Amino acid sequence: MLPTIFYIGLSALLFVIGVCGVLMRRSALMVFMSVELMLNSANLALVTFANQWKSLDAQVMVFFVITIAAAEVAVGLALLVMIFMRKQTTNIDSMTTLKG
Amino acid sequence: MTQLAWLLVLIPAFPLAGFLLNAFFLRGERATGIVASLSIVASFVTTLVAVTNLAATPEEARYISAHLWDWLAIGKVNVSVGLWFDPLTAVMTLLITGVGALIHIYSISYMHGDSRPHRYFAYLNLFVFAMLILVMSDNLFLLFLGWEGVGLCSFLLIGHYFERDSVAPGIVPSEASAKAFVANRVGDAGLLLAMMAIVSNFGTLSFFGADGNSGFISRLTDASFITVDLGLFGSIGLVSGIAMLMILGVAGKSAQLPLYTWLPDAMAGPTPVSALIHAATMVTAGVYLIVRMHVAFDLAPDAAGVVTVIGAATALIGATAAITQFDIKRVLAYSTISQLGFMVAAAGMGAYTAAIFHLLTHGLFKALLFLGSGAIIHGMHDIQDMRRMGGLRTHMPTVYRVYLIGALALAGIFPLAGFWSKDEILVHAWYGAQNVNVTVMLIFASWLTAFYMGRQMALTFAGSTRDHDVHPHEQLGTMKWPLYILAVASALGGIINLPGIHWLTDWLSPVLHHEAELFTWSMGIFAAIVVISAGAIGYLGYRLYSGELLTQIKAGEEDPAHYYLGDIWKGFEMGWGLDYVYQRLLVRPYRTFSQFLSDVFDRQAIDGILVEGSAGLVGKVSQAASRAQNGNVRTYALVFLIGVVIIVGYVVIGA
Amino acid sequence: MAFPSIDFMVIIQLVIVLAGATILLVVDLFIPAGRKRVTAVLALAITIAALVAGNYATTGTTLSAMVGFGAVAHAVNTVILAATAISILLASDALPKQGIERSETYVLMLLATGGMLLLSQGTSLATLFLGLELLSIALYVLTAIAFPNVASEEAGLKYLIVGSFGAGFLVFGIALTFGATGTLMLSQIAENIPQNGIERGYFWVGVSMMLVGFGYKVSLVPFHMWTPDVYQGAPTPITAYMSVGSKVAGFIAIVSLLQVLGNELITMRPVLMALSIATMLVGSIVAISQQSLKRMLAYSSISHAGFVMMAILNGTPASIDAAIFYLTAYTVTNLAAFAVLMVLENNDTDLTIGNLSGLWQRNPGLSAVMALALLSLAGVPPTAGFFAKFLVISTAWQNGIAWVAIAAALSSAIGAFFYVRCLIQMLSGHSDVAPARIPVSTLIAVIVVSVAIVLAGLMPGSVNAALAFAQ
Amino acid sequence: MNQLGFPLVTLLIAVPFVAGLVVWFSPRQAYGLHRGIASIAAIANVVLAIIGLVSMAPVAGYQFVDSAAWFPAIGLKYAVGLDGINIWMVIIATLVMPLALFAARTQTQERQRGFYALLMMLSASTIGAFVAIDLLLFYVFFELTLVPTAMLIAMYGVGERKAAAIKFFVYPFVGSIFLLVSIAGLVILTWQQTGVWSFDSVALAGALNSGAVVLDEQVMHLLFAGFFIAFAIKTPIWPFHTWMPQAQAATPDHGAVDIAGLLLKVGAFGFIRFAIPFFPQAMSWAAPAVGILAVISIIYAGIVAFGQHDMKVLLSYATISHLGFVILGIFSQTVEGISGALLTMINSGLTTGALFVIVGILARNPGGRNPNNFSGVWASAPKFGTLALVIVFASIGVPGLNGFIGEFLSLQGAWLAPHLGFGYISGAVLGIVVSAAYLLRMFRTVFMGAVSTTSPVAEASKSELAVLGVLVIAMVVIGLYPQLILQSMQPSITALVSGISQP
Amino acid sequence: MELVIFSITALIAVIGAVAMLTSRNAVHSALFLLMNFGAIAVLYLLLQAPFLFAVQLIVYAGAIIVLFLFVVMLLGAERDEDETNPIRWQTPTALVMAILLIAEVVYVLISNPQTTVARVGNANVFAAPTDIARALFTTYLLPFEIASFVLLTALIGVVVLHQRRS
């Protein structure tokens, strides 16, 4: 019987770490991983609340989120590989031809 | 309208008709001249008829009025186009049409061989028309039309030789004409303000109204106590304010201080124009205005005082300047300024009759002098420099005689017209107004008048011809008759207001309500002293310049007096340098200023800083912002996050 | 839990589009490589079918209230589908010209459209989330579909990164909102908004994070920075499509989100006002210094987003109508502008303002359309843009929030400058470029949108009629 | 439908508009056709306007009203009509079109189709702005006038035409957006207090004056500011004027655009038509400041004009100076002032239009538009010179010609106004001196002096002389019998000033 | 007891996350992420979500992380960030913002008056996979279908992005 806020605090912490990852890592791969982390922490929050409210909806939602995450990663990695084939790098600092 | 009213309408109608004919239909030189002259003669005759009819009307309501149509009827501005014919108007009209007619006739042969005679005569007719409107209008608004109309005509006639780059003595006609118009415009601004003040306070611009005493003039007395607050400049009585504003107009039109500088340059026009416009009629409009508005000046002693001082000062300045001139017409021009000063001073001192009297006589003999000088110039093949004349007495005897009469009249020698009128002014200054300073100034001015006329006679007619490559001849044609008539008039013109007879005073009394002062012996003695001294000085002037000095004067050289008086003389010659001052202090700075405004201030300050500047500022911001768009997605995410933090922060604190 | 009753007439448009997409995917396999235009035609047919079907759809909710249909949804769907149809028309000419012979494009466009329809019809956070993701993922691919064009790939990646970043916030927001209210249904959320306690904190953080999650989609400042890059990098038909489609969809999602708040909207209004003002000003200010036309239009679309925001932050029905009017006007106008760009650009050059000079001599008709579009974007009467601008500004006055109105005035004042600069460039410059040829389907599209612009400007009532407002 | 039985006012807008379209889509080579259609439309419009004038009842309020629902959702109507105030603007707006077409005769045939079409559009939108009763309708035309003019400058202009066109469009547009905001605010606030969505200016004025709608001072000043900025820039008043000279420096030499643009006095007209009835208190509140601006415009523009070397720019500054009088008259909110303002607008249309024709004739010569390149034209072209003389003096404001009456009335009105007074007038009256200075300078340099050998100017053609002659006659008539115009204005202006909302 | 498990797993999760964030090598990061996912899976179990526990392990640990590792190896992009950071102020600003965000969340969590301390973890509701399945196919039928469309889209996308130019 733990207070909800323990879980929420944890998920928030993880979420922010994920955010930091997106902002601070320069390899697109790492950025994707960080995004995954963000989504995961959100999932954790959802599951927590599902349990608090004794409701299934949130768990279903988590299921969808996981699906979406997978899809996004798939597309993202595909793009990344495609770009890597030309640029030989996954570093997003090197992808700044469009600016201004 | 009554037949009399129609008669009134005819007076200006003739010149107008003449103008239209000349402007649109006639082209031949003779035809135009004759038509123009006939129209003025007809107008003169009509005027005589009108005057006789006027004399028949009862003393207490002695006026004829003609209401033609409503000009403006907006809110408080109700102005009609209407004519007003009372004794004052009558004398002015007689002068204008009479002298005008003579000068038209004179012009026929004077302008012989001119390239644009039809234009010349058309303008001349138009001028007479405008001048008649000026003096005959029954309200200030219509008067202003005439006022500016004569200004326009003077612009046109001064610029008659507009294609010449310079006429003697080194004046550019186009510049002179523009100068005259703008200078007058300054005065007109004052008159305009006066009109608006009158409308705002009295709701009408009509002098006397339909029934003769419903105009604003009759209401001035009630308004005499009203004062206007001028903020920083203290406050001023309404009536004297109006009067002051009018003085500005007078100074412009009648070439008084500080606006007289245009008149000498106006001599760029043909000589008959100088005679008609710049001596006999137009320049006297200011005096007419003061006399017409005399109630206001009676109620505003401070304004009247200003008028007096301006007049006296101008009289003196004009006289001193006239002494030094070598151009035969410039002498007369400055003398005109000076004589106008006499009139204005007289009007300022309340001697309205005297002012009008002098106006009339001056109109006669100054016209005579100008026409005479015109004849001389004509005979000298357009030479105006007196240093190249001399000995003309033998070459043109007729001109010599009439010119002598005119000169004596102007110098105020007994018993010619000038004596009586000028003398009346002086007497009034001494006995009536008892204003010593002004009297002294005026007397001094009249001495100088005598002196420069003597000088001019000497330089022009005395001795033998100095410039041997000109062959003066006298062939007057139609110029003869006007000269004779004017000579007679200026000899006998004094009769109309002799002491003891004073027809003019009686005639004008319905307007001015003046009783003639009764003549005392002391006045006679005073007058005698003045006239004798003047005569002596005039003879002195003649002696000096016809004697040994005469041989020293050569074309293009300074006057011997310059040797003694030096720069003072030079200053006199430049009309006390006022023109120079204006050039330096007004005209050139204005040019530079406008260049600065148009090339620098408008382009760079207003457009560059206010308009383009603000636009440029946005542009700068824009570039900065688009540099922040550095193309790196991490930065995008960071900005994103900043947004989130701010929003979440707000709701967390706010909710 | 019984199997839910399904009223297909509620989601008829969605069904047509998604089913059509699937079928088209299969059919496309049997269409020879050279004749991919057939695919385009089929996709167009599907879209138009869905468009028409809208008139027969029934109002209400279905599938256990996961989706609903109403007047607003109808209007929005109409705009979305019309935009899709036009975009398909344009793409069918422009993509081959740029050497992009990928018929999957149309399938993906249909799928994205499905996502948009979901956003406009969704009544549950789950539906909205999925709709958004469907839209996004399709658009990531479409953006990058011009590979091996570097710009296109880069744009795709950037879009994906920012998109998934935003998705993270959206999901977290959904989580918190659920935590606060215990439901994902918008209607029920609206009923039990917590009044106090920690739940209230969850709720507001959640709502604002969801706002962010949708806000990046319509590129509200400061979540806008991906927009210019993506618009510039993506192939022009795709840019046109997403500049209008995803904006409309995203905004309608925001609208349904804000309607949940009800009276609590007051609390949020300052934030929304700030967003709106910032968006309007930043968009138009940065646009000034752009040379690339696509980038300029991207920034202009940002500032227009601010205008729409200005309308919907009132939350009143009238202002939502105004917002929809604005979106409609903006859609047709933007499509017209991009259509002209597509005709002008050959293979993958990025057009600059300089390329416009002398267009008047070269293609009078084309430049007339461009002029119309520019004037409408600037909001000059009598074009669609004018009434749109007026309506949103007047909604701003309704709550006495004159400051937003003044910011709007400033923004469109600045905006006028670069629109007119293009216009004058087009009219006055000279160039010896050969006149561009206008392909048939582009011509049709151009004519349709131009007529729409003028019609909406001369008879604004017609828009309401077309969108079946209950005015 | 109105008493005439046909939609007169709508026709006034439609005729040039349709003509413009026809010209636009006519074959490029049909040169005669372009000019013909344009001229016919212009003449027809003049006839229509005159019909309106003569069949107009001397009462306040709109007549010949054509009204139709436009955008019912927000109570927007298409409502146009004529009254004593705008009839004369319309008359002149229609009269200048033939003049502009006349001036445009030197437009090169190859590029004349769009030119005539745009001229017609400009005329249509200008007239529309004058006759609009509905506030938003007015705004539509108000902004619409920008488009054809900017296009004319951009496509057919000379010199810095691009920059000029952009500035010409953007600068007034910026102002007009604030007008739009104010309109929206006014309508919404009215709606919130009365429950009626209406853009009908008469109804709005009625509501505001009858106290049915009460604005607190802050809001009123805010709304008025929107109106003021838009109209002040459009008028233009110093210091918002810089777009105007630049635009006119860039217009084609023959001056057709300038002439057609002359009656673009929509700004000043807007003050009379909308600002006065809506915000009388705000007008009085702003009058002292605006009066100063107006006086500055009068003198400043006069001085700047003196320094110009391009006759067109000189004339545009002259226009700015005249408009200073107009603004003074309007902000006096007196019958005299407003009549004077309207009359001055009409006069400036006539006089400056004629002057632009003169400049156009001169600019055909090698001298171009710089007065210093000319000399002695009066001698080589006497008739032309004399007509020019009269027109110049009309513009200077010599009584007996049209210019004077308007200026006098404006100033008189301002003098009578409680919140302006003679302080302003004594400043403004300098304007009649500076105007004399710069116009006489131009006349003197160009027409007087010795006949120039470098660019001698031949006598103007019969038709040119005829056109100028007609204008001169008009000037004299207005100058000697202004009641001709003023009488028909009286009822409307009196109603306007007495704050009675016209039925 | 519960608290102990929570604390341990939470600690592991956070360590994994931080390590992922900081490790230079992409492979290591992937593995740390795996650790974090595992920990979260355990938490799911604590929260009576066995189905999600399974999904978490299968999809994330089983599929996504493998995919990541696969790509990293394939591209040999383990150490792609060795060149210096072009944007100096990026990292500090990011950290500050992150801390602010944390602070805000913490503020929300602690500031509010704890009227009723919501608690989680009592065992009487156990979300059996069957319930979730039923929910998926009844209430959430439409989202479920849409999810499939999302996957379809991703599929098409990946295929399109990797088809060779014809």
Side-chain angles (χ1 to χ4, degrees), chain B residues 52 170 202 218 256 329 437:
Chain B
T52 48
F202 304 108
S218 54
Q256 298 297 296
K329 282 175 73 179
N437 306 338

Side-chain angles (χ1 to χ4, degrees), chain B residues 372-373 375-376 396-404 461 474 476 483:
Chain B
S373 68
I376 295 167
M396 2 180 122
T398 332
V399 180
Y400 170 66
R401 289 192 209 90
V402 294
Y403 207 92
L404 183 59
F461 295 101
E474 177 174 78
L476 298 171
L483 289 173

Side-chain angles (χ1 to χ4, degrees), chain A residues 1-85 88-94 96, chain E residues 2-3 6 10 13-14 17-27 29-30 33 36-37 40 43-44 46-52 55-56 59-60 64 67-68 71-72 74-77 80-87 90-91 94-95 97-99 101-102 105 109 114 117-122 124-125 127-128 131-132 135-136 140 143-144 147 150-151 153-155 157-158 161-162 164:
Chain A
M1 297 294 285
L2 290 171
T4 315
I5 57 173
F6 285 23
Y7 289 91
I8 301 306
L10 175 63
S11 82
L13 184 60
L14 293 177
F15 184 82
V16 173
I17 293 173
V19 169
C20 291
V22 174
L23 295 182
M24 287 155 61
R25 299 308 297 260
R26 281 167 290 158
S27 158
L29 278 163
M30 298 308 304
V31 172
F32 290 150
M33 291 189 204
S34 315
V35 170
E36 291 308 316
L37 186 54
M38 287 166 68
L39 293 173
N40 248 279
S41 55
N43 286 349
L44 178 58
L46 273 169
V47 177
T48 316
F49 286 126
N51 188 299
Q52 176 192 328
W53 289 95
K54 311 282 177 284
S55 142
L56 274 179
D57 304 1
Q59 293 202 12
V60 180
M61 189 68 200
V62 172
F63 175 74
F64 292 138
V65 173
I66 292 175
T67 326
I68 300 298
E72 264 182 358
V73 169
V75 173
L77 288 177
L79 258 171
L80 190 61
V81 169
M82 185 174 70
I83 292 174
F84 187 89
M85 286 173 180
Q88 295 307 322
T89 175
T90 63
N91 191 330
I92 53 178
D93 289 345
S94 64
T96 59
Chain E
E2 213 175 341
L3 181 61
F6 172 79
V14 173
V18 174
M20 181 225 52
L21 182 63
T22 50
S23 71
R24 317 283 308 137
N25 186 324
V27 178
S29 309
L33 188 59
N36 165 288
F37 286 171
I40 289 176
L43 290 179
Y44 286 172
L46 269 186
L47 292 166
Q48 284 86 17
F51 175 71
L52 290 180
V55 172
Q56 174 85 358
V59 176
Y60 272 113
I64 296 183
L67 187 58
F68 269 115
V71 170
V72 175
L74 176 80
L75 305 182
D80 255 348
E81 307 179 321
D82 295 350
E83 66 271 15
T84 55
N85 188 340
I87 324 171
Q90 172 86 16
T91 312
L95 283 173
M97 284 300 142
I99 290 160
L101 192 55
I102 279 287
V105 175
L109 293 182
Q114 296 287 338
V117 180
R119 296 187 170 280
V120 294
N122 67 342
N124 56 16
V125 169
D131 306 340
I132 294 191
L136 277 177
Y140 288 91
F144 185 74
V150 173
L151 290 173
T153 316
L155 186 71
V158 174
L161 291 177
H162 281 270
R164 293 271 156 276

Side-chain angles (χ1 to χ4, degrees), chain C residues 158-388:
Chain C
K158 282 178 173 174
Y159 196 7
L160 185 134
I161 289 174
V162 177
S164 41
F165 191 62
F169 283 94
L170 179 59
V171 177
F172 202 78
I174 290 175
L176 289 177
T177 318
F178 177 83
T181 58
T183 171
L184 294 172
M185 288 295 169
L186 292 174
S187 49
Q188 296 171 22
I189 293 174
E191 283 158 15
N192 40 32
I193 294 173
Q195 291 312 315
N196 52 19
I198 193 164
E199 280 73 17
R200 194 168 173 78
Y202 289 157
F203 180 74
W204 280 119
V205 177
V207 167
S208 41
M209 280 193 168
M210 285 197 288
L211 182 68
V212 170
F214 289 115
Y216 95 88
K217 201 71 192 163
V218 297
S219 55
L220 296 176
V221 175
F223 319 117
H224 68 291
M225 299 189 74
W226 58 274
T227 318
D229 294 5
V230 173
Y231 280 22
Q232 191 182 5
T236 316
I238 304 305
T239 311
Y241 175 61
M242 75 174 133
S243 74
V244 295
S246 63
K247 221 177 215 71
V248 177
F251 265 118
I252 208 62
I254 292 179
V255 166
S256 34
L257 191 65
L258 293 183
Q259 276 176 328
V260 167
L261 296 178
N263 305 335
E264 301 275 352
L265 185 59
I266 311 297
T267 323
M268 210 64 184
R269 186 163 283 144
V271 174
L272 302 173
M273 279 170 73
L275 282 176
S276 153
I277 292 175
T279 313
M280 286 189 289
L281 289 179
V282 170
S284 50
I285 287 177
V286 185
I288 290 180
S289 55
Q290 300 306 320
Q291 283 305 312
S292 152
L293 285 172
K294 277 166 84 175
R295 259 191 118 71
M296 190 200 82
L297 284 172
Y299 280 109
S300 100
S301 83
I302 292 174
S303 84
H304 285 287
F307 279 85
V308 181
M309 200 64 202
M310 174 168 71
I312 65 181
L313 62 81
N314 291 293
T316 63
S319 58
I320 288 166
D321 289 348
I324 293 173
F325 190 109
Y326 196 99
L327 285 167
T328 319
Y330 164 79
T331 304
V332 285
T333 311
N334 234 24
L335 283 173
F338 275 112
V340 175
L341 260 55
M342 284 176 227
V343 176
L344 291 184
E345 73 191 2
N346 33 22
N347 52 44
D348 52 5
T349 54
D350 188 22
L351 289 177
T352 65
I353 294 176
N355 297 63
L356 281 179
S357 67
L359 187 62
W360 188 259
Q361 277 78 18
R362 280 184 278 150
N363 298 56
L366 206 57
S367 57
V369 175
M370 189 64 177
L372 204 57
L374 287 169
L375 290 178
S376 179
L377 283 171
V380 178
T383 56
F386 166 67
F387 277 107

Side-chain angles (χ1 to χ4, degrees), chain D residues 467-483:
Chain D
V467 169
L468 291 175
V470 172
L471 288 170
V472 165
I473 291 169
M475 291 170 199
V476 175
V477 170
I478 296 180
L480 289 179
Y481 193 58
Q483 286 301 94

Side-chain angles (χ1 to χ4, degrees), chain D residues 274-287:
Chain D
F274 300 109
I276 291 181
F278 290 165
F279 313 107
Q281 300 90 331
M283 289 276 280
S284 315
W285 166 74

